[in-house]
Amino acid sequence: MSWRGLIHEYRDLLPAVKDENIVTLHEGNTPLIYSDDLSKRTGLKVYAKYEGLNPTGSFKDRGMTMAMSKAREDGAKIVMCASTGNTSASAAAYAARSGTIDCVVIIPEGKIALGKLAQAMIHKAKVLPIAGNFDDALNIVKEITDNYPVELVNSINPFRIEGQKTASFEICDALEDAPEFHAIPVGNAGNITAYWKGYKEYKEHGKTTQLPKMLGFQAAGAAPIVHGHPIDKPETIATAIRIGNPASWKPAEAARDESGGLIDMVTDDEILEAYKILAANTGIFVEPASAASIAGLLKLSEQGYFDEHKGARIVCTVTGHGLKDPNTAISAIEEPKQIPGDINAILKEIGL
Ligand code: AN7
């Protein structure tokens, strides 16, 4: 049977939802792609979990199918989220898909990648930019959803985490066990929390024999967990993870500590470098925040972190599609120069 979305696929390991309430765009089932280039660079077996191939172009769809289905089951009329962009795009699309639920999103003005804003608008969410950052937006959303009949669909909604944990299941199914390491970008810290939950559950169910070390990466200008305190004015080119006070801070630390992993940071330059390397040599185009996992892999590799683990498997989650943020791509490349429209000029350019 063709893929019907992750709720149908992993029902036994997810909270129950009645069939008629399932809101799905057939999310999940994303490819796990082996990278020769990154494997050569690191001496590991490196796989990218390409979450940009979900229906709205990011991993958020995994959590949103669960959260929106539960909202429909509970009779919700309005859902709301704060977002650095991808959550709003996903919430808007799944609310549209539900046919009955309206969506309101609060975003930090001017700090949302263009593609994500376009998505929220075209799916007819009510988009409210505020003069503040993500953390300010989330505080407002919590206050409203605590006091009014509006369902919160940020990752502090436990059903979001439940849906997102299925990415670990897919990885273990593909590799026929858990990998030795898992690298992942960290923003609000819901995803690292979800992956760790998924890995632990699969092992408890006897589907795997081991657990990976979880390696989380924040952007250097937005690295509250690394520094051990909230960051008032987080800044990074990776706007998706421009978050100074992550909601899932404690569970992210638990994932780090229980797994024997780490949470480190990567600079914007390292992120952009990894972003270009992944696109040019592996053929995977991601948004800057997603490249934090690759930047982290390369940083740790250069530091010798993997020296005792040659040939070990590492999965790097790449969380969102490169087309989400066309402006960053365009400023990272050299604009092509115009040439005369004749065959000889073109042959000369390509050296034939
Ligand atoms: C591409 O959309 O927080 O650590 O509001 O869009 O689970 O927050 C996005 C986060 C990584 C970080 N990569 O995941 C939002 C939002 C991409 C993202 C993250 C986000 P979390």
Side-chain angles (χ1 to χ4, degrees):
M1 197 188 291
S2 70
W3 181 267
R4 291 185 298 158
L6 57 86
I7 295 182
H8 287 290
E9 186 69 18
Y10 291 112
R11 240 183 174 155
D12 298 349
L13 298 170
L14 291 169
V17 192
K18 291 199 191 77
D19 266 354
E20 66 264 30
N21 292 325
I22 293 176
V23 183
T24 180
L25 289 163
H26 302 212
E27 58 295 309
N29 197 24
T30 57
L32 185 68
I33 300 176
Y34 182 77
S35 170
D36 286 309
D37 177 63
L38 293 171
S39 299
K40 274 200 203 99
R41 285 173 194 265
T42 58
L44 300 166
K45 294 192 183 79
V46 181
Y47 297 84
K49 180 68 171 161
Y50 196 4
E51 289 289 278
L53 296 193
N54 276 297
T56 77
S58 89
F59 72 96
K60 302 287 182 182
D61 297 343
R62 293 182 183 275
M64 209 51 76
T65 186
M66 275 302 314
M68 202 65 70
S69 300
K70 271 291 171 189
R72 179 144 87 181
E73 196 144 290
D74 295 347
K77 294 279 172 279
I78 309 174
V79 297
M80 192 168 188
C81 64
S83 182
T84 58
N86 280 325
T87 299
S88 62
S90 185
Y94 281 77
R97 177 73 172 150
S98 79
T100 55
I101 298 174
D102 289 331
C103 177
V104 182
V105 306
I106 315 278
I107 56 172
E109 187 181 31
K111 295 291 183 181
I112 299 291
L114 209 57
K116 304 174 190 180
L117 187 59
Q119 287 179 289
M121 306 285 295
I122 202 81
H123 291 304
K124 291 276 182 200
K126 179 129 190 104
V127 176
L128 303 172
I130 60 159
N133 60 31
F134 170 84
D135 307 287
D136 303 322
L138 184 56
N139 287 335
I140 293 170
V141 167
K142 280 197 253 179
E143 178 91 29
I144 292 175
T145 53
D146 277 351
N147 293 296
Y148 295 87
V150 179
E151 198 75 40
L152 173 147
V153 292
N154 280 104
S155 59
I156 37 183
N157 177 330
F159 297 104
R160 281 277 313 277
I161 303 291
E162 289 296 317
Q164 284 172 215
K165 77 184 180 188
T166 60
S168 293
F169 299 166
E170 291 176 14
I171 289 164
C172 296
D173 289 345
L175 296 178
E176 298 181 337
D177 204 343
E180 284 70 44
F181 297 96
H182 190 110
I184 186 166
V186 175
N188 211 26
N191 215 24
I192 189 172
T193 302
Y195 270 81
W196 182 237
K197 187 168 199 285
Y199 280 125
K200 286 196 295 187
E201 288 183 9
Y202 239 37
K203 182 151 183 288
E204 279 156 22
H205 282 85
K207 303 218 181 223
T208 52
T209 65
Q210 63 176 13
L211 293 167
K213 290 191 192 309
M214 299 300 294
L215 311 174
F217 297 97
Q218 302 194 294
I225 300 177
V226 178
H227 292 302
H229 58 79
I231 304 294
D232 275 351
K233 293 195 165 52
E235 274 311 336
T236 167
I237 188 170
T239 52
I241 52 173
R242 187 175 167 272
I243 294 174
N245 191 13
S248 297
W249 190 318
K250 289 283 164 243
E253 286 183 339
R256 175 194 68 192
D257 298 341
E258 289 170 26
S259 74
L262 54 78
I263 296 179
D264 197 354
M265 59 187 175
V266 284
T267 65
D268 280 5
D269 284 349
E270 289 168 332
I271 288 172
L272 278 177
E273 184 63 18
Y275 167 84
K276 292 190 224 174
I277 287 174
L278 186 65
N281 303 324
T282 300
I284 299 179
F285 183 28
V286 300
E287 63 170 287
S290 307
S293 59
I294 307 295
L297 162 71
L298 295 173
K299 177 182 172 181
L300 293 187
S301 173
E302 276 158 32
Q303 290 176 346
Y305 179 84
F306 301 112
D307 284 357
E308 314 282 294
H309 303 279
K310 292 290 167 214
R313 289 164 302 179
I314 182 165
V315 173
C316 301
T317 299
V318 286
T319 42
H321 202 285
L323 293 172
K324 291 270 190 179
D325 188 353
N327 293 342
T328 298
I330 286 162
S331 53
I333 52 156
E334 263 177 61
E335 227 179 289
K337 65 173 182 181
Q338 206 195 359
I339 58 157
D342 70 60
I343 289 175
N344 288 334
I346 289 169
L347 289 174
K348 185 166 166 254
E349 278 298 322
I350 58 183
L352 288 176

